[in-house]
Amino acid sequence: MSAALDEFCGSVFWNASYLDRPDADLPVCFQQTVLVWIPLGFLWILGPWQVLPMCKSRDKKSSVTKLYIIKQVLTTLLMLTAVAELVLAAVEGAEQDPLPAVQYTNPSLYIATWLLVLLIHDARRFCLRRDSGILFCFWTLSLLCGSLLFQSLLRRALQVGFGRKLSASSRSRSVPKVTASFLSSITFEWYSSMVFKGYRKPLEIEDIWELKAEDKMQSIYTVFEKNMKTAVRKAQAELEKRKRKKRRREGGLDHVNNISKAQSQDILVLEEKQTKKKKGDKGDSGSHKDYPRGWLMKTLGKTFWKNLLLSVTFKLVHDLIVFVSPQLLKLLIAFVSDEESFAWQGYVYAILLFLSAMIQSLCLQQYFTLCFKLGTQVRASLIAAIYKKSLTMSSATRKESTVGETVNLMSADAQRFMDMANFIHQLWSSPLQIILSIVFLWGELGPSVLAGLAVMVLLIPINWFLVAKSRTIQVRNMKNKDERMKIMSEILNGIKILKLFAWEPSFEKRVNEIRAHELKNLLNFSYLQSVSVFVFTCAPFLVSLASFAVYVLVDENNILDAQKAFTAISLFNVLRFPMAMLPLVLSSLVQTNVSTVRLERYLAGEDLDTSAIHHRGSFLTGSAVRFSEATFAWERDGDATAGQDWQLFLSLSFQGSLAYVPQQAWIQNATLKDNILFGSELDEARYQQVIKACALLPDLELLPAGDQTEIGEKGINLSGGQKQRVSLARAVYSNADIYVLDDPLSAVDAHVGKYLFEHVLGPKGLLQNKTRILVTHSISFLPLVDNIVVMGAGAVSEQGSYGTLLANRGAFAQFLNSYGSQEKDASEEDTTGTGNKTGLCVCLGDMKNLALSSSDTSGGCYEPYPASGNLISKISTNSLKKAQEEAPKQVKGQKLIEKEAVETGKVKLSMYLRYLRAVGLWYSFWVAMGYVAQYVAYVGTNLWLSAWTDDAERYLNETYPVEQRDLRIGVFGALGVSQALFLLFSTILSAYGAVRASRVMHQQLLGNILRAPMSFYDTTPMGRIVNRFAKDIFTIDETIPMSFRSWLSCLMGIISTLLMITLATPFFALIIIPLGIFYYFVLRFYISTSRQLRRVDSVTRSPIYSHFGETVSGLSVIRAYGHQARFLQQNEITMDINQKAVYSWIISNRWLAIRLEFVGSLVVFFSALLAVISKGTLEGGIVGLSVSSALNVTQTLNWLVRTSSELETNIVAVERVHEYTKVKNEAPWVTDKRPPRGWPSKGEIRFVDYKVRYRPELELVLQGITCNIGSTEKVGVVGRTGAGKSSLTNCLFRLLEAAGGKILIDEVDIATIGLHDLRKNLTIIPQDPVLFTGTLRMNLDPFDQYTDEEVWKALELAHLKMYVQDLPGRLLYVVSEGGENLSVGQRQLVCLARALLRKAKILILDEATAAVDLETDHLIQTTIRSEFADCTVLTIAHRLHTIMDSNRVMVLQAGRIVEFDSPEELLGKAGVFSMMAKDAGITNTETTTL
């Protein structure tokens, strides 16, 4: 081969002696062939592909730019020089002897190459990114090879032209990725503009670049879904096979008679064990059902295979180059130790060290970008799939997972997949790195490596043990955390009740008890962590100690020299990462496996079966809806009940579109107008008509911004009646053909109900030409409907028109006789003309079955007022127009829920200090000292090792003294151990301090939140407060201590490394300064951007979950209207916004890493370069120390920035918790002025010119009320919605503080005493029956003040004794969340029992019977009359019947008392009260049988 090349060039191809001299150079032939052909070969292998876009692209070419012209001109010039070269060669060859072949071939090759380059340039005009990565690499290679040729030419002093010209690498304009040049892409230069923007001003979501089309949710999810469907189909087929096999097996077992009994029993035992095992997989019932499995990973692999393949390539290159540095280090140490070696060798090594570090860094960053991108896309696909599934799943599947669990699938499980995707390649990369390290180490130290490895392997089980132990503690703690969060969310949901009953201390105590357990576990967990950090720190040093000690002790000829020691140390450093990662990746895999099971079970659950519902029934002659033999059940195997969920066994057919009004109105967090339009186009005239018919005009007058007012989560700032009317308006506006109305009138006042029936539902209403199915337990409208279906025990008991049913004298007629007398008078006037053509059919259930709750939360909101027919028609639509025109100006109070404050800018130093103060300043000081001591020992260890390796030179040809050897090993060991002990000391101290800080901060937060006034809860969404207790407290508990520790550790690590390099080569101190400045600036720029991106990410993430929660709770409505597609699209948009932030954050990390690793590479380069320059004066040991420390510094530099920014991100939690510890408190619970014992003894109440408003910026709600209520007097309070009835009760309990005037109870001004003294001495039966998780007894008497006898007595009076005696556990029966396992009526009775236990002198009933069926209502009223005869009773009433026997009635209107007299007097004179009574069909006080 060599001979052929010699002939080809006409000179020697290779001669090693060329290099063995100070002015080394490469042979001319080698330069003319190898150095020329490397770049050309590269281009010809990869270049032709770059021309393809010309052939197949149909896109238009992009325009010709100046840059393009310059590139083409330069390439043409290069081609002309090649032509000139060829011509010259031909001329010379003709004149003299023929020249060697190389002189002809090279120029010819170049001419062809430049032609190819011209073509590639032109082809790139079809692409978005104009420059080509292949060309860039070709130019770089040409430059590298050309520079060698060039220096040879210079040295030969021949003035031939310059080498190869670098013309590509086009100026990278800072444009987003799509058009960025190759160089800009690999260094992420295109992202710089974003970083600068983030530095200049806090980034908002609008500033972040949009995603590329292929990264958008829609395109990713389309592919994913297609793959998912095929995979699930296959998995389901497998499942069927498994089931068949199982059936065959079970069938087979019956025929096993011939097997002896013992054997068959064995089989049974085996089977039992297996089923037990399966059950144990996941505790909850029904989950051990088989499900299609094994398809999720396949789907993900199939969807993202390109990404996976590409990242494997990058990772492989990186892993191989990692091992180049230790070998170069070895050569460098040899070079320094060898006096004979030439200087140029040292420079080559230094440059190679720098290059290998750079290539390593570029590959690693590309690999990380791909991995993180994969992670976010996997997360997004899973979330989208879960969301879509939630819209289509059947009720049976829905029952298996609660909303909370499904949100968990979205947040926790999808997140796990994301984390796993980031490290999935470690599964093959770690073993590869470990094997290669061992191979190279064996080469250095021979078999003594095994000692080091043995130590490593021994440490693995210790680590596993620690991990397993801490995992069990973590699991225990998660239970505590869940328990605490459950109570917290209950406290926040029922905060009004806690305040009314003065129960805060009892609940605070409960939370603090759980928190104490939690912190105890946390402390143990932190101690375990300290031990594992201790082990981890000992590891590298123990490994090197073991290896070196064995190496020296095995054979006295083995002398540890610098080459061996420092090469081995840098290889051990390489080995540490995969060894640490592998167990982590495996445990992460196990977790992901759990998530896979959960996701597969959920996503492959059965969908809603719509086949039984026919939309265009061919046999629907003359009927709009038809049930034939229909059985409904909540689940497939459950008993059929008179439930309201439609799951069918036979068929239901209907014609046309459907609108549905649920019993509990579902309101979205959007403006009022959006809630009504519900995605339809706006038709102004129809919209006005609907609003007027649904009695919403007066509400719009009251709402701060009319129909542009934002409605909070779950309609928090609307009263129950308003929510119901909005829900009805949505249905009416949708203009459907069939209306299914589930008792929409239960939540509104009687007169409003009447108005709605007249204008919307009745024969003359807006819906007169539609089919209406109305479920109700109000009797008054029955005479006006076409057909009545009476339900009883899940079957139709009677059916027919009103007259027919009365004539039949069945159950219906009897029911009317007992409850209907008072409603009859009212209805008789109206029974005229009901012959409208489209039917209105009413379903009447057994009165109890249908008494589902309707919550009318007027507490803390203003209710709209006069909604009687006469008034509404007078209010013109002008006022509405006015409201709409003014809307765009933000009105005070229009935004109920202020946007969550996103902290911007730098986190204040005071936050760090506040945290350290909570830890304790002395603790903080000693922790820091411990770290300093540890790193002093670390530097000592390394300097000692360096001195030890220099012994090899000192005792070059002598025997190594044994005592010297033992001293070296001993001191090395002692220093290493002390290093680890110092660390242990500081981590244990910091663990104790951190738990102390957690305790202090949680206590402050909880204490303050419970003392916040009601107005705070009205304007702050619950989620936001829960977030403080969940996420932020978790951060303070676990993340911040870790961040602080790693930050300190990194800082000390960098300082010690720089110190060691400077000790070796003092000139390095000069280089530290410019590098430090560069590092600092990169850091400052990056941290401000990254911090904002993290904040934007968390702010854009919550809408995903809240949108999902909203969707699940309104599922029946969304399905009924058929709006699934719209909600899916909304979810995609929300996801994309979040993805945008996450993607930007990932790139910002890579942008930073590339720049920092460049700094690291420069540190390596300069430490090597200085070692080469000061060669004569240095020992090999110190050079080894300096360069091997430098090789390690890159990672540490990276970590320092990571941890600083992480610390800054996390310390925000302290800021957020602090913000809520500063919320203004309500008045003190107990003051110096205590009321007299037994107060109030008489129960007299006096209002003196009393005024009040909800929040400072709003209008007065009560405008100067003055009245006296005598002892034991019974007073009814009535008024239209929004008249201020509920506000009155809130004032008595001081949930609202006076804006003027005062209230006296038994001559004590209630504003002068403590809140608890006041609230404990009044009793209220609230409108919403709120119960808490815990025993029934706890719900009645949280402070254990009463004996069991007293509790039973109260239950008996509340008609609950029989019921409770039958319950499992009786008084200790556990009430589930929100009292779900009791009916609404029973909950109301429990509230009554509470009041009976307290038996205060003053009782307030706040519409206590609004949500109860007539029988329960009757029970409650009777009990109150008998038991509270000697108390003052204030009743706020929806139903006027309940107050007709009061001593006096107070009529409120717009916050003033308009009438106040006995009911008889008021009925007698024409006034507001007599009008209301007439609306409700009451003519005299005797008609009230109830």
Side-chain angles (χ1 to χ4, degrees), residues 31-63:
Q31 291 185 16
Q32 286 176 332
T33 52
V34 176
L35 293 186
V36 170
W37 295 346
I38 286 176
L40 295 188
F42 172 82
L43 185 68
W44 280 99
I45 292 169
L46 298 173
W49 305 108
Q50 298 277 306
V51 190
L52 285 180
M54 284 176 107
C55 320
K56 58 180 189 189
S57 179
R58 294 192 174 52
D59 299 346
K60 247 177 49 226
K61 274 193 187 184
S62 50
S63 57

Side-chain angles (χ1 to χ4, degrees), residues 702-721:
L702 284 177
L703 289 172
D707 60 2
Q708 291 301 320
T709 308
E710 183 198 3
I711 310 301
E713 297 174 67
K714 298 184 188 156
I716 179 104
N717 49 339
L718 295 179
S719 71

Side-chain angles (χ1 to χ4, degrees), residues 118 639 864 944 1180 1356 1360 1418 1487:
L118 284 170
D639 303 328
W944 185 261
E1356 185 178 1
L1360 276 173
H1418 189 57
T1487 53

